[in-house]
Amino acid sequence: MPRTKPSPAHEALVRAIKEQGGRATTTQVERWQQQGWLPRASAWFEPDSPTIRPLILHRALWLASTARPGRSIGWVGWFFWAVDDTPDSAQRLRRALVATLKRPLTQAGIEKIPTGDSDRAFQARQAAAGKMLPNRRVPRRDLEATLRAHAAEAGFELPHPPATALANISHWALQEAGARLLLGGAADLGIEGLLGALEQAMPDHTGALEHLREVHRQAELTGTDLLAQSPLAQGILGMVRTIETADDHDLCHAAHICTRASGVLEVAMRCTPEKPEIYAYLTADEMWQGWAVVGGILPEEGAPSLAAVALNTYQYLADPEWAAELDRYLSFMYSVLVAFGYTGSPGDGMQC
């Protein structure tokens, strides 16, 4: 069956992208529309004019710069769904977030998480957690140390984190604990299980671990289980339930803030080779540990992973205090970029 000829509107948008130095085909533009990242073509133009609206052109340029053959555009698509905040975009966003949160289960072939407090259910969850860890070849990666090395290459020393701060380290012990936490929540792991995993992964961080142990001990004396208060306490079932039951507008707002913050941080990381002082400002704020490092929002290549953004969106919905802190840190990051010469808004193409 012959392909339908591209519409004049699609051809006009492709020309406008090319005039701005971008590259796109009419097929790509049609796909962006199908994915809900561009509105209907009748909304692309200025009133009674053949000129593409700046907002549409900026969005198309961002899509064109992000799109790669055979690769997902990742959280950029979530950003556009969140910004549009329509019933359709909220539904698309909800499906994508749930699928991302469930991805570890899908990859392990786990169709249903065993529930209940019985020993049989507990053992079944432990066995399922084992399926999520086919081997122990987990690279030991310290994100804080990696960023510190990059800063040193640029001739700048990062301020050291407080002695009580834990590093973001990849280690098989933490992977095992994480799998148990995802499947059974805080009840299956327990604070001793978490501390044991941290001790194996971070033998050189005795001060921070002792501080963490003492904080939990003092809380227990008052009848408080801090691990049970964690956003991860309900495991993946709790995360999915929160996403599935969230109000459309609340869901879009949470994803908007989390993707926008990721975008601003990505711009900041691109700026730091020429302006390494940006590191000092960003890392001096407590949300550097509370969001960027602890949340693993800065993986290799500087592109935040879908899993990190999905977890951030869940936490934004589940923890109002953390959400308020991320709102504040987003404004702070943007003000730092402006102070160092960044112009524009975080949604117009993200150029430093």
Side-chain angles (χ1 to χ4, degrees):
M1 182 177 179
R3 185 178 180 279
T4 304
K5 183 180 179 180
S7 71
H10 288 80
E11 292 177 334
L13 183 56
V14 168
R15 285 196 301 271
I17 293 171
K18 184 177 180 180
E19 289 170 0
Q20 294 295 318
R23 295 180 61 185
T25 65
T26 55
T27 300
Q28 284 179 306
V29 171
E30 290 170 357
R31 189 178 302 118
W32 296 339
Q33 274 190 290
Q34 293 168 358
Q35 292 290 339
W37 298 326
L38 286 175
R40 64 187 187 281
S42 60
W44 294 356
F45 300 92
E46 297 285 7
D48 302 318
S49 170
T51 303
I52 302 290
R53 293 169 53 207
L55 184 62
I56 296 298
L57 182 55
H58 286 152
R59 180 178 288 204
L61 286 168
W62 195 358
L63 287 165
S65 67
T66 307
R68 297 290 185 275
R71 292 178 57 186
S72 166
I73 68 169
W75 60 268
V76 173
W78 296 0
F79 173 81
F80 290 134
W81 288 335
V83 167
D84 290 341
D85 193 3
T86 66
D88 176 69
S89 68
Q91 184 180 28
R92 292 173 185 267
L93 180 60
R94 199 184 308 273
R95 284 199 301 262
L97 288 167
V98 168
T100 300
L101 290 173
K102 287 185 173 180
R103 187 180 180 190
L105 305 183
T106 303
Q107 291 178 324
I110 302 172
E111 297 181 358
K112 185 178 181 180
I113 298 176
T115 58
D117 298 329
S118 67
D119 289 343
R120 183 176 180 179
F122 175 78
Q123 293 300 330
R125 287 193 294 271
Q126 300 304 294
K131 293 180 180 179
M132 298 171 66
L133 301 164
N135 60 64
R136 292 185 172 183
R137 296 178 182 177
V138 178
R140 193 179 190 281
R141 179 175 64 90
D142 184 336
L143 183 56
E144 182 77 22
T146 300
L147 295 173
R148 191 173 298 282
H150 287 322
E153 291 174 1
F156 188 81
E157 183 178 359
L158 287 180
H160 287 275
T164 55
L166 291 174
N168 183 319
I169 292 176
S170 294
H171 190 277
W172 67 264
L174 294 178
Q175 298 291 323
E176 287 189 343
R180 292 171 58 191
L181 186 64
L182 280 177
L183 292 178
D188 275 11
L189 181 62
I191 184 58
E192 289 304 321
L194 175 60
L195 288 169
L198 289 170
E199 287 171 351
Q200 291 184 69
M202 306 178 192
D204 299 329
H205 291 69
T206 54
L209 291 171
E210 284 303 315
H211 172 77
L212 181 61
R213 186 182 295 277
E214 180 61 20
V215 167
H216 279 269
R217 191 184 72 82
Q218 292 296 330
E220 287 177 355
L221 293 176
T222 65
T224 302
D225 185 346
L226 294 180
L227 187 59
Q229 295 180 355
S230 163
L232 304 180
Q234 300 303 312
I236 199 167
L237 291 179
M239 298 179 204
V240 169
R241 185 164 52 249
T242 297
I243 296 295
E244 288 180 335
T245 60
D247 172 80
D248 282 359
H249 175 70
D250 292 342
L251 181 68
C252 287
H253 176 70
H256 180 199
I257 296 299
C258 292
T259 52
R260 183 177 287 268
S262 298
V264 174
L265 186 55
E266 189 176 1
V267 172
M269 293 301 98
R270 289 204 304 265
C271 292
T272 48
E274 291 77 28
K275 303 168 184 176
E277 297 87 349
I278 290 176
Y279 267 136
Y281 288 99
L282 297 186
T283 58
D285 193 287
E286 63 182 13
M287 277 301 279
W288 177 260
Q289 287 289 332
W291 171 62
V293 175
V294 173
I297 202 65
L298 286 172
E300 290 77 6
E301 307 302 325
S305 70
L306 288 175
V309 177
L311 287 169
N312 289 162
T313 302
Y314 157 71
Q315 188 167 1
Y316 193 96
L317 291 166
D319 188 344
E321 291 185 4
W322 186 88
E325 279 297 284
L326 184 58
D327 287 337
R328 178 193 61 77
Y329 194 56
L330 170 57
S331 298
F332 172 69
M333 288 191 296
Y334 186 52
S335 67
V336 169
L337 287 179
V338 170
F340 279 89
Y342 171 78
T343 58
S345 67
D348 69 357
M350 308 301 297
Q351 297 299 317
C352 183

